[in-house]
């Protein structure tokens, strides 16, 4: 069936990329992009990096709206998806093709209404204003957001305490032997590992052991959960369930970016990542499939983080691995996960070339020589056997 009335829900990176891809793939019908925020699409990674550090105020994504011939409806929230129609808080929109790109929203703790979170530009500007020299910032969670905010806050002269329930930083993303190696980076902050939060008040965080950590500002960095709209099937973890072609349970409705969990043949499991690279690239596949194609989305996922003066990059899916190989070169190290002799994931610290080469090996499903991979004087691509 050919489509002539397409609605895209969510005006973030994935929503904008969907609109761009539809037009560049020749779609000439009507196109509406609906976004709950009041701002045109902007980029989120700089919010916890350059914007928080005061190096920029704008992270707007470039778009030629007149060339895109798109009806951009901001400050409009889609409340449900039905057969051929989405309901918004400003009326109904009929469609014959729909792409959900509703992203994710920060998790909160019960009773922590006064605490800040970081997802939007407004959140980042509010946090930046609070980061004055001497201010006592308590960050709950030593994950990616916690690490990046702590980096910026320490640089701004704030007194930073980070409270993490698990025993290593980045513990929900990385196994302890890898995350544990990053703990020494946090020297500028008071990093409390294995510390459970009992309660958050406007001026303090109370730990389960009874300790009260005084705070001027509390930031929750405890992860995000997918934002979904009633009317499509979701996974147990709450993401929009899509197949390998990014199609939801409802005909004519696809989903991309942080809100979607796709079926991966490569890893033999359903994948859900909240990575900029997926939001950038999946929309081209969704657009092609909305226009009658049958493309498969099955990438080697990629993510980066800039923290404590380091570029940390990750590609692949390490739960698929059964063996960890280290590549040591002082502060610039890497960890590789192998399944048998196949490379399935890599984490690199200030080794961008290694990461690019490792990702190519994974995309080729290459087998590798672990001893060569461990040797920093050998190019990663040369470890392919
Ligand atoms: C502070 C921060 C730093 C990050 N740093 C990195 C990084 O270093 N590396 C990396 O790989 N990734 C990073 N990410 C993740 C990356 O930014 C996301 O993966 C990417 O933004 C996802 O894009 P998206 O379009 O799927 O979702 P979003 O960017 O969340 O956009 C979704 C949009 O949909 C809107 N929306 C939601 N529901 C509705 C509705 N019902 N109706 C209408 N509109 C709706 C939302 O308001 C939002 O504007 C970072 C994220 C944050 C928040």
């Amino acid at each position: 069936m050919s489509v002539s009335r397409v609605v895209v829900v969510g005006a973030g990176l994935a929503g904008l990329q969907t609109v761009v891809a539809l037009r560049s793939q020749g779609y000439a019908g009507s196109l509406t992009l609906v976004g709950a925020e009041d701002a045109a699409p902007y980029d989120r990674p700089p919010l916890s990096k350059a914007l928080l550090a005061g190096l920029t105020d704008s992270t707007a994504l470039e778009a030629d709206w007149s060339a895109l011939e798109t009806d951009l409806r901001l400050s409009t929230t889609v409340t449900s998806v039905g057969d051929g129609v989405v309901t918004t808080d400003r009326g109904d929109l009929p469609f014959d093709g729909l792409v959900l790109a509703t992203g994710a929203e920060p998790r909160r703790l019960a009773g922590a209404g006064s605490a800040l979170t970081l997802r939007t530009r407004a959140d980042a500007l509010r946090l930046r204003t609070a980061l004055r020299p001497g201010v006592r910032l308590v960050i709950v969670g030593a994950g990616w957001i916690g690490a990046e905010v702590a980096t910026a806050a320490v640089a701004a002269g704030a007194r930073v305490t980070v409270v993490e329930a698990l025993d290593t930083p980045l513990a929900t993303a990385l196994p302890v032997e890898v995350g544990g190696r990053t703990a020494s980076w946090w020297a500028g902050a008071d990093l409390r590992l294995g510390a459970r939060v009992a309660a958050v008040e406007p001026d303090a965080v109370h730990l389960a052991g009874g300790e009260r950590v005084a705070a001027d500002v509390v930031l929750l960095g405890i992860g995000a959960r997918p934002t979904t709209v009633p009317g499509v099937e979701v996974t147990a973890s709450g993401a929009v369930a899509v197949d390998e072609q990014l199609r939801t349970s409802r005909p004519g409705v696809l989903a991309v970016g942080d809100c979607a969990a796709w079926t991966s043949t490569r890893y033999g499991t359903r994948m859900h990542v909240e990575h900029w690279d997926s939001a950038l690239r999946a929309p081209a596949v969704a657009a092609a499939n909305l226009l009658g194609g049958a493309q498969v989305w099955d990438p080697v996922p990629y993510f980066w983080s800039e923290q404590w003066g380091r570029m940390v990059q990750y590609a692949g899916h390490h739960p698929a691995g059964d063996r960890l190989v280290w590549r040591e070169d002082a502060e610039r190290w890497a960890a590789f996960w192998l399944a048998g002799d196949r490379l399935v994931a890599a984490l690199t610290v200030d080794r961008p070339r290694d990461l690019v080469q490792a990702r190519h090996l994974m995309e080729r499903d290459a087998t590798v020589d672990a001893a060569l991979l461990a040797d920093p004087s050998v190019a990663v691509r040369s470890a392919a056997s």
Side-chain angles (χ1 to χ4, degrees):
M1 187 191 97
S2 72
V3 291
S4 62
R5 205 154 46 171
V6 173
V7 175
V8 178
V9 184
L13 175 63
L16 174 61
Q17 288 295 108
T18 302
V19 162
V20 169
L22 282 164
R23 288 298 187 218
S24 69
Q25 292 177 28
Y27 172 66
S30 90
L31 191 47
T32 305
L33 177 59
V34 186
E37 294 185 64
D38 60 5
Y42 61 89
D43 217 10
R44 294 187 202 276
L47 300 181
S48 52
K49 306 173 184 69
L51 188 136
L52 207 52
L55 302 174
T56 185
D57 288 334
S58 169
T59 69
L61 290 162
E62 272 180 35
D64 183 344
W65 291 106
S66 59
L68 289 172
E69 291 186 71
T70 296
D71 179 4
L72 176 60
R73 304 212 183 171
L74 298 174
S75 305
T76 304
T77 300
V78 169
T79 50
S80 69
V81 178
D83 280 337
V85 64
V86 289
T87 305
T88 84
D89 55 0
R90 296 185 172 202
D92 290 354
L93 289 172
F95 68 83
D96 53 19
L98 181 74
V99 179
L100 298 174
T102 45
E105 54 206 272
R107 289 182 193 280
R108 296 201 64 91
L109 288 175
S114 58
L116 303 183
T117 53
L118 176 52
R119 182 77 196 179
T120 66
R121 178 170 179 272
D123 294 340
L125 290 174
R126 194 175 309 129
L127 181 60
R128 186 171 83 180
T129 304
L131 294 183
R132 296 180 307 275
V135 80
R136 294 167 303 177
L137 170 68
V138 178
I139 300 174
V140 180
W144 302 112
I145 292 284
E148 295 193 351
V149 171
T151 300
V154 167
R159 287 153 59 194
V160 181
T161 304
V162 183
V163 177
E164 167 58 56
L166 299 173
D167 292 331
T168 55
L170 311 175
T172 52
L174 299 173
V176 287
E177 60 268 50
V178 181
R181 284 192 67 156
T182 72
S184 61
W185 300 351
W186 300 63
D190 180 6
L191 175 62
R192 312 276 188 94
L193 296 169
R196 286 201 162 272
V197 170
V200 176
E201 290 177 348
D203 62 350
V205 171
H206 296 267
L207 303 184
E211 188 183 351
R212 176 183 187 276
V213 184
D216 301 308
V217 183
V218 179
L219 176 87
L220 302 178
I222 52 173
R225 59 184 174 80
T227 310
T228 55
V229 177
V232 290
E233 190 186 317
V234 297
T235 66
S237 61
V240 180
V242 291
D243 65 11
E244 68 284 352
Q245 293 183 15
L246 299 169
R247 297 182 196 277
T248 71
S249 56
R250 190 178 278 276
V253 181
L254 289 81
V256 288
D258 282 13
C259 72
W262 76 93
T263 309
S264 167
T265 310
R266 182 188 295 277
Y267 299 113
T269 186
R270 191 174 277 288
M271 296 286 289
H272 177 234
V273 300
E274 289 162 354
H275 299 350
W276 185 90
D277 186 65
S278 281
L280 182 79
R281 298 195 301 126
V285 174
N289 293 343
L290 195 63
L291 301 179
Q295 292 188 15
V296 170
W297 172 247
D298 200 6
V300 171
Y302 166 71
F303 172 86
W304 85 97
S305 170
E306 294 160 44
Q307 51 179 281
W308 308 115
R310 295 167 171 85
M311 173 60 91
V312 181
Q313 294 169 289
Y314 178 89
H317 178 59
H318 66 263
D322 52 28
R323 185 173 162 207
L324 186 58
V325 173
W326 295 98
R327 184 171 172 93
E328 303 281 0
D329 186 7
E331 289 290 294
R332 298 170 63 245
W333 50 267
F336 298 102
W337 287 264
L338 273 58
D341 54 5
R342 283 172 44 247
L343 181 62
V344 293
L347 178 101
T348 62
V349 178
D350 286 336
R351 304 185 73 86
R353 189 171 305 171
D354 284 2
L355 195 285
V356 169
Q357 294 180 13
R359 195 179 185 194
H360 285 155
L361 294 182
M362 290 179 235
E363 283 164 350
R364 280 172 34 204
D365 204 17
T367 57
V368 290
D369 180 322
L372 294 177
L373 214 45
D375 184 345
S377 68
V378 176
V380 166
R381 64 169 173 273
S382 303
S385 49

